[in-house]
Amino acid sequence: MIGNDIIDLKLARAENKAANSRYLAKAFTSGEIRRIGLDADPELTLWTLWAMKETAYKAHQRRYNLPRRINPKSFECSLHDSVQRGCVKVNTDLYQVCIERSLDYIHVFTSETSPQQKKYYAVHEARSEFLSELSIDLGLDREEISIIKNHLGMPSICLGLNKEKIPFSMSHHGDFSSFVIALINC
Amino acid sequence: MSDNEIISRLKKIVEPYVQRTEGMENFEEETDFLNDLQINSANLVDVVLDVEDEFDIEIDNDSMEGMLTVGDAKSIIKRKMAAG
């Protein structure tokens, strides 16, 4: 199942969330709060965990066609030692995620489907840029590719004349946009 | 407290987090925090905390789960104020 989330660290760090115990208690489990507190860079860890929760939320919602909910504490994250991978547990389901971090952003995406992903920095119309690039990659006309959302707000890419629907996830924060698509033939 | 007063206080609370300001022009029960106002999901937790402070109530996790629209928030605030 597909999901992804991007965090613009310049925006995120300015919020000073790691020092806000009420915020922590609403969004994170006690184990996660401990992990954030022990880290040399608590803000970075906090936003990594948040992006993991969002990613797993999107994958979980798609898997079961769930209505939207604000339930970040239902998604319990664990980071592997390398911090490039982690997993998120919700009820009895586990979602494996890949984590990419730089000085400027955190990008998390589900790793089960070996998806294709693209990131954009400071691109005004990132969504249409992505669709143009995808049309070139797939050898289709730009008009043959569109984004549709179902009644639960979950996006898919709609391809070609026969309107084939491909699972798709998008995220936007500050100057960053990211897109992940499960392409079978690429 | 009247429904109108709750909604006008809510409008002030959410304002700093709104990314789609056109959505504020028709701020009503159906207004969706994510779709219409494009409030970032991490900031929705801030909205919950600010609502707790403004109305002197505590919003438990079960209530927070369903706080997706202005109307949802209004109902939760009324219920918590009546219980408190």
Side-chain angles (χ1 to χ4, degrees), chain B residues 16-33:
Chain B
Y17 308 109
V18 169
Q19 299 190 70
R20 185 175 168 271
T21 45
E22 308 96 275
M24 292 297 268
E25 285 161 21
N26 298 308
F27 192 85
E28 53 198 15
E29 300 222 2
E30 290 72 31
T31 302
D32 189 295
F33 294 129

Side-chain angles (χ1 to χ4, degrees), chain B residues 3 10-11 13 15-18 27-28 32 41 48-49 52 58 60 62-64 67-68 71-72 76:
Chain B
D3 284 13
L10 255 178
K11 190 175 179 184
I13 289 172
E15 203 155 21
Y17 308 109
V18 169
F27 192 85
E28 53 198 15
D32 189 295
S41 55
V48 171
L49 292 172
E52 287 189 339
E58 196 183 328
D60 55 284
D62 286 347
S63 303
M64 181 167 92
M67 217 174 98
L68 298 161
D72 295 336
I76 293 162

Side-chain angles (χ1 to χ4, degrees), chain B residues 7-83:
Chain B
I7 289 174
S8 84
R9 287 199 195 188
L10 255 178
K11 190 175 179 184
K12 282 207 188 81
I13 289 172
V14 301
E15 203 155 21
Y17 308 109
V18 169
Q19 299 190 70
R20 185 175 168 271
T21 45
E22 308 96 275
M24 292 297 268
E25 285 161 21
N26 298 308
F27 192 85
E28 53 198 15
E29 300 222 2
E30 290 72 31
T31 302
D32 189 295
F33 294 129
L34 295 154
N35 294 338
D36 297 323
L37 305 179
Q38 290 183 7
I39 296 176
N40 189 296
S41 55
N43 286 139
L44 269 183
V45 179
D46 289 304
V47 170
V48 171
L49 292 172
D50 293 351
V51 164
E52 287 189 339
D53 291 340
E54 175 70 24
F55 297 95
D56 196 20
I57 52 175
E58 196 183 328
I59 297 176
D60 55 284
N61 289 334
D62 286 347
S63 303
M64 181 167 92
E65 275 199 9
M67 217 174 98
L68 298 161
T69 65
V70 170
D72 295 336
K74 190 206 75 182
S75 308
I76 293 162
I77 292 164
K78 286 184 84 161
R79 200 171 68 231
K80 297 291 176 186
M81 285 178 78

Side-chain angles (χ1 to χ4, degrees), chain A residues 87-139:
Chain A
C87 68
V88 186
K89 185 170 180 286
V90 49
N91 304 324
T92 54
D93 291 310
L94 269 184
Y95 295 89
Q96 306 291 335
V97 298
C98 295
I99 301 154
E100 270 185 24
R101 302 201 289 197
S102 78
L103 283 176
D104 304 314
Y105 70 84
I106 302 167
H107 186 211
V108 177
F109 50 94
T110 47
S111 55
E112 287 129 63
T113 47
S114 58
Q116 236 202 16
Q117 49 103 355
K118 284 184 197 278
K119 278 185 295 295
Y120 298 90
Y121 172 70
V123 174
H124 179 56
E125 291 287 343
R127 199 180 291 192
S128 94
E129 179 75 24
F130 168 75
L131 292 176
S132 297
E133 288 182 19
L134 187 66
S135 70
I136 294 166
D137 291 349
L138 297 174

